[in-house]
Amino acid sequence: KLRAEHVPLQHITGTQEFMGLEFDVSPQVLIPRQDTEVLVEEALKVCDGKRVLDMCTGSGCIIVSIAKLGTPIKTVGVDISTKALEIAVRNAEKNEVEIEFIKSDLFEKVEGNYDIIVSNPPYIPTKEIEGLMPEVKKHEPILALDGSKDGLYFYRSIVASLNNYLQRGGTILFEIGCDQGEAVSGILRHAGFIDILIKKDLNGLDRVVTARRP
Ligand code: GLN
C-alpha cells in the first residue's frame, strides 16, 4: 500500500545497500544511489594515506564507504542537517568506521587541510524538481536535491572555498548531473584547477568530475 503511494521502498525497509555495505536511511537523507558508487570508486583510487573530507555527506554513504573500503588516515563528513548527521553517525557505527562529523553550512565550521575533498551536493535545477518521479520529489529531502536556479550553486560555492581547505596537489571529486560535465569543468578550470576529467556512470552518462589543485 505504501509503495502504491510512491513511498520509496527504502523508507519502508529503512535500509539501502551501497558499495556492498548496508546503510540506514530516513526521509531526511537522500537514498544512496548506484550512480554515486562511481564517485566512491574514483575516490578509492587516490585516498590511501590521505585526509578525506566529504561535503554534504547526507547518509554518510560516501565517506563511510571510503573509510571502510580504503585506507585513508582521516575521514570527515560535513552536513548542514542535524537529522542527516544522526543517520550518518549511525551508518559509521553500523559499518564500524571512525568518522568525524561536523554540522556546518558548507565550510563555515570546517578547519584544517585535506588531501581529498569529495561531494555529491544538491544539483537539480529548481525548475526540474517538479518533473522528478514522485518517489523523489514527494519523499526525498528537497534540501539534498535543489541546486538552485541552474543547479550549479553548490559547485560554485564549494570551488570558491577550495583553496582554503584543499592541500596543494590535492584532488576534488564531484558527483554531477549528467548534463553538467562541461559547466562544472569550466568552474574548476576558471578557478585554476588542473587535470580535469569527466567520468561516466554505468549508464554511460557523465557522472563525476575530478580535478587537482596545482
Ligand atoms: N541523482 C539524484 C537524483 O537524480 C540527485 C542527487 C543530487 O542532487 N545530488 O535524484
Side-chain angles (χ1 to χ4, degrees):
K1 184 164 178 295
L2 289 171
R3 276 299 293 132
E5 290 161 11
H6 298 281
V7 175
L9 180 64
Q10 296 86 343
H11 289 178
I12 300 168
T13 62
T15 65
Q16 169 65 31
E17 182 268 357
F18 178 84
M19 293 300 295
L21 305 171
E22 195 175 290
F23 290 89
D24 285 4
V25 298
S26 79
Q28 278 84 32
V29 297
L30 197 75
I31 297 164
R33 312 282 207 259
Q34 211 167 31
D35 297 340
T36 305
E37 294 185 340
V38 180
L39 179 67
V40 173
E41 282 165 1
E42 290 303 318
L44 286 173
K45 291 177 191 169
V46 290
C47 75
D48 289 355
K50 304 285 204 254
R51 300 160 297 177
V52 186
L53 180 134
D54 176 20
M55 181 52 74
C56 310
T57 197
S59 69
C61 68
I62 295 170
I63 195 70
V64 168
S65 298
I66 291 171
K68 184 81 185 176
L69 305 172
T71 49
I73 52 165
K74 178 177 176 170
T75 42
V76 175
V78 179
D79 207 282
I80 193 172
S81 161
T82 305
K83 287 269 179 349
L85 287 171
E86 285 169 14
I87 299 287
V89 165
R90 245 157 66 189
N91 282 326
E93 283 168 3
K94 188 171 180 142
N95 287 287
E96 301 171 314
V97 290
E98 221 163 280
I99 300 186
E100 179 191 340
F101 288 107
I102 303 172
K103 178 179 160 59
S104 172
D105 183 357
L106 297 178
F107 287 100
E108 203 174 80
K109 301 269 167 60
V110 175
E111 282 171 10
N113 260 284
Y114 295 85
D115 307 296
I116 296 175
I117 296 180
V118 297
S119 184
N120 175 17
Y123 58 65
I124 313 276
T126 307
K127 270 199 193 134
E128 289 178 22
I129 305 265
E130 193 45 40
L132 300 175
M133 55 202 262
E135 278 79 355
V136 180
K137 76 172 170 201
K138 282 170 61 184
H139 297 282
E140 294 206 72
I142 191 86
L143 188 65
L145 294 164
D146 190 343
S148 190
K149 197 170 183 338
D150 64 358
L152 302 171
Y153 171 82
F154 292 95
Y155 301 112
R156 288 196 199 92
S157 302
I158 292 168
V159 171
S161 299
L162 280 182
N163 282 354
N164 298 325
Y165 301 96
L166 184 64
Q167 193 69 34
R168 286 179 201 282
T171 305
I172 170 79
L173 301 98
F174 279 127
E175 177 171 326
I176 56 159
C178 60
D179 56 356
Q180 294 172 327
E182 280 314 308
V184 174
S185 299
I187 291 168
L188 285 160
R189 198 175 306 116
H190 192 74
F193 282 75
I194 57 170
D195 300 341
I196 301 168
L197 295 170
I198 302 175
K199 313 270 175 178
K200 292 189 185 299
D201 64 22
L202 293 177
N203 290 314
L205 300 171
D206 290 349
R207 187 59 61 197
V208 167
V209 175
T210 66
R212 226 159 46 77
R213 185 178 171 196

